[in-house]
Amino acid sequence: MATRQPVSTDLPPTYNPWPALWAMVIGFFMILVDNTIVSVATPAIRDDLGTDYNSVIWVTSAYLLAYAVPLLVTGRLGDRFGPKNMYLLGLTIFTLASLWCGLTGSIEMLIVARVVQGFGAALITPQTMAVITRTFPAAKRGGAMALWGATAGVATLVGPILGGVLVDGLGWEWIFIVNVPVGIIGFILAVRLVPVLPTHSHSFDWLGVALSGIGVFLVVFGIQEGEKYDWGTITGAISVPLLIAGGVIVFGLFIWWQSRIKAEPLVPLGLFRDRNFSLGNAGIALVSLAITSMSLPFFFYAQGVRGWSPTESALLMAPMAVVLMALSPLVGKLVDRTHPRNITLVGFGTAAIAMFWLSQLIAPDTKVWMLCLPMALFGISNACLWAPLSATATRNLPMASAGSGAGVYNTTRQIGAVLGSAAIAALIQARLTANGLAGATEAGQGASGPMPAPVQTAFSDAMSQTLYLPVVAFAVGIVLVLFLAKPTHAGHGGARSAATSEPFAAS
């Protein structure tokens, strides 16, 4: 392997990185859709495979766990063996596991296949951001990150819509089988278009791999299972608080080891000396937490109170997706020209307003067009958050640490989603109990039309109150981004380059 390079790539100055990014976005979009698509199909999977709710929920939990735990390691693997190689390996694993998911006939095999699928996704995710960092100049990275951020945001919204259409039309198996042709196309394009970048043949921190994996696993598993076990005992002496505390301790040991290791660490702690990298990670965790925590009560309301189908419920998020896609190119240009504080303040501010507005509209008789208004405003928020936060966090990453930095960023994002899922589940149960509807979450599944009229108002009130959680998360984000530093990259606000003369490009 090559020795460490002082620059991001040996590619010629005229090289256009956009085709490679578009090729990799296919795989990135596919794995992010799988983060949310299964939630719509959960009732159908449960009924078809003859299992219970506690078992079928692991179809999602196993994927998220297998996805989140290895991200720190797979980011570093991209630095060591090349992002193209790791991306292709991950895409192959993900595509084959998707076929396995679609053909399986038991809940046990489906869960195992989802674990394999999640590991493939973990191999893919950091490589997309690492390739952006290493092939786009710092002053022209905003447009690329706008495409990356728009992909992440739209995938989050498309998952439930696509899942509803496929489940209603073809059956739950097709939410997985549809990945196969997409994966094959993505693989061919990546082989042809993604460049081979210099690798860095340093020693690999295997103790760091073990400590990070164990620490993240214990924390994520404990949070995911907390609500199921009422945040108490799981079995014998093992409890949810013990798992989470143990994970925090192990992760503390991991950080201590990273500060002591003489050879190349798994996560160079010097990355966090960059204020924008640290704040960008905290910001994306809040965004991920808030978006995850707003989806569940909204779908419970749409399906349980209004009696809308999964597809109809998911389509209420279409205004958000449309606005996000329309604004992302413009925001991508602004990211390279303006202080990141300005854009992210708009993002967090409008997000807090949109979520508070939506919470006031959650009622049994609210007109559909009224619900679409805060959703459209939330599209502005997403456009002003995903790309600016990712571009700002990675702007100053050393090229040799692009993969590990991307791994840290995506791990933070994924843990934010897990925290949001656990927090909103606990809050929903608490607010239902406070409104006299303890144990009523099954009514929100929407499998048999709207719930009885006498409980619709109380259920709506409970869901409305839970939406204050994302409001608070976004409000914290407003304070956070006030401390972002002004970019110092060369060419800030400069002229357009050939390498970025594509859609989503900065100019």
Side-chain angles (χ1 to χ4, degrees), residues 5-11 133-136 141 197-198 200 399:
Q5 302 293 321
V7 293
S8 62
T9 176
D10 290 334
L11 297 169
T133 303
R134 296 180 63 180
T135 59
F136 286 83
R141 206 170 288 155
L197 299 174
H200 311 283
M399 293 302 106

Side-chain angles (χ1 to χ4, degrees), residues 76-148:
R76 201 51 164 170
L77 287 174
D79 291 331
R80 177 73 185 274
F81 300 109
K84 179 175 183 176
N85 293 333
M86 289 300 100
Y87 177 86
L88 291 174
L89 176 61
L91 189 58
T92 300
I93 293 172
F94 185 90
T95 303
L96 293 175
S98 296
L99 182 61
W100 183 8
C101 289
L103 298 178
T104 191
S106 71
I107 189 65
E108 293 80 11
M109 282 297 98
L110 180 56
I111 291 171
V112 172
R114 285 284 281 171
V115 169
V116 178
Q117 194 185 37
F119 179 70
L123 284 168
I124 293 172
T125 300
Q127 317 315 330
T128 56
M129 185 178 284
V131 166
I132 292 173
T133 303
R134 296 180 63 180
T135 59
F136 286 83
K140 297 295 181 180
R141 206 170 288 155
M145 284 300 181
L147 175 58
W148 187 91

Side-chain angles (χ1 to χ4, degrees), residues 113-424:
R114 285 284 281 171
V115 169
V116 178
Q117 194 185 37
F119 179 70
L123 284 168
I124 293 172
T125 300
Q127 317 315 330
T128 56
M129 185 178 284
V131 166
I132 292 173
T133 303
R134 296 180 63 180
T135 59
F136 286 83
K140 297 295 181 180
R141 206 170 288 155
M145 284 300 181
L147 175 58
W148 187 91
T151 301
V154 171
T156 302
L157 310 177
V158 165
I161 299 173
L162 180 61
V165 171
L166 289 174
V167 171
D168 291 344
L170 297 172
W172 67 264
E173 297 89 347
W174 283 89
I175 67 174
F176 302 113
I177 295 175
V178 72
N179 290 333
V180 176
V182 177
I184 292 172
I185 293 171
F187 186 93
I188 294 171
L189 291 175
V191 168
R192 292 176 59 87
L193 299 175
V194 177
V196 176
L197 299 174
T199 54
H200 311 283
S201 55
H202 296 278
S203 59
F204 207 71
D205 178 17
W206 291 110
L207 179 57
V209 169
L211 289 174
S212 67
I214 294 170
V216 174
F217 174 83
L218 291 174
V219 171
V220 173
F221 181 82
I223 293 171
Q224 282 188 170
E225 294 298 286
E227 181 65 20
K228 176 180 176 181
Y229 293 101
D230 197 26
W231 301 96
T233 300
I234 297 176
T235 180
I238 301 176
S239 66
V240 171
L242 182 63
L243 286 178
I244 296 175
V248 170
I249 292 171
V250 172
F251 205 76
L253 289 173
F254 166 71
I255 294 174
W256 173 83
W257 172 246
Q258 296 302 284
S259 69
R260 301 289 295 177
I261 187 173
K262 301 300 182 183
E264 187 173 7
L266 182 65
V267 176
L269 296 182
L271 295 176
F272 292 95
R273 295 193 187 100
D274 181 349
R275 186 201 305 175
N276 284 358
F277 180 78
S278 299
L279 292 176
N281 273 272
I284 199 62
L286 288 169
V287 171
S288 195
L289 182 153
I291 289 177
T292 303
S293 62
M294 68 79 65
S295 300
L296 190 60
F298 182 75
F299 283 128
F300 276 172
Y301 158 75
Q303 296 178 40
V305 175
R306 307 303 293 266
W308 293 325
S309 70
T311 304
E312 290 170 334
S313 302
L315 284 173
L316 286 172
M317 290 191 169
M320 177 165 42
V322 171
V323 173
L324 170 60
M325 288 187 289
L327 289 182
S328 287
L330 173 62
V331 173
K333 296 176 182 179
L334 293 176
V335 166
D336 287 326
R337 294 179 169 185
T338 63
H339 198 304
R341 181 193 306 137
N342 300 335
I343 306 175
T344 51
L345 273 176
V346 172
F348 279 111
T350 55
I353 293 170
M355 287 300 96
F356 181 78
W357 186 4
L358 183 63
S359 73
Q360 303 308 298
L361 296 177
I362 298 297
D365 56 354
T366 302
K367 297 183 183 300
V368 172
W369 68 266
M370 294 180 68
L371 295 170
C372 290
L373 295 178
M375 284 297 182
L377 179 60
F378 198 44
I380 297 175
S381 312
N382 276 269
C384 294
L385 289 173
W386 288 96
L389 287 173
S390 55
T392 302
T394 60
R395 185 85 71 181
N396 299 322
L397 283 180
M399 293 302 106
S401 298
S404 59
V408 171
Y409 187 84
N410 284 285
T411 299
T412 305
R413 177 178 59 82
Q414 197 63 26
I415 289 177
V418 173
L419 285 170
S421 178
I424 200 64

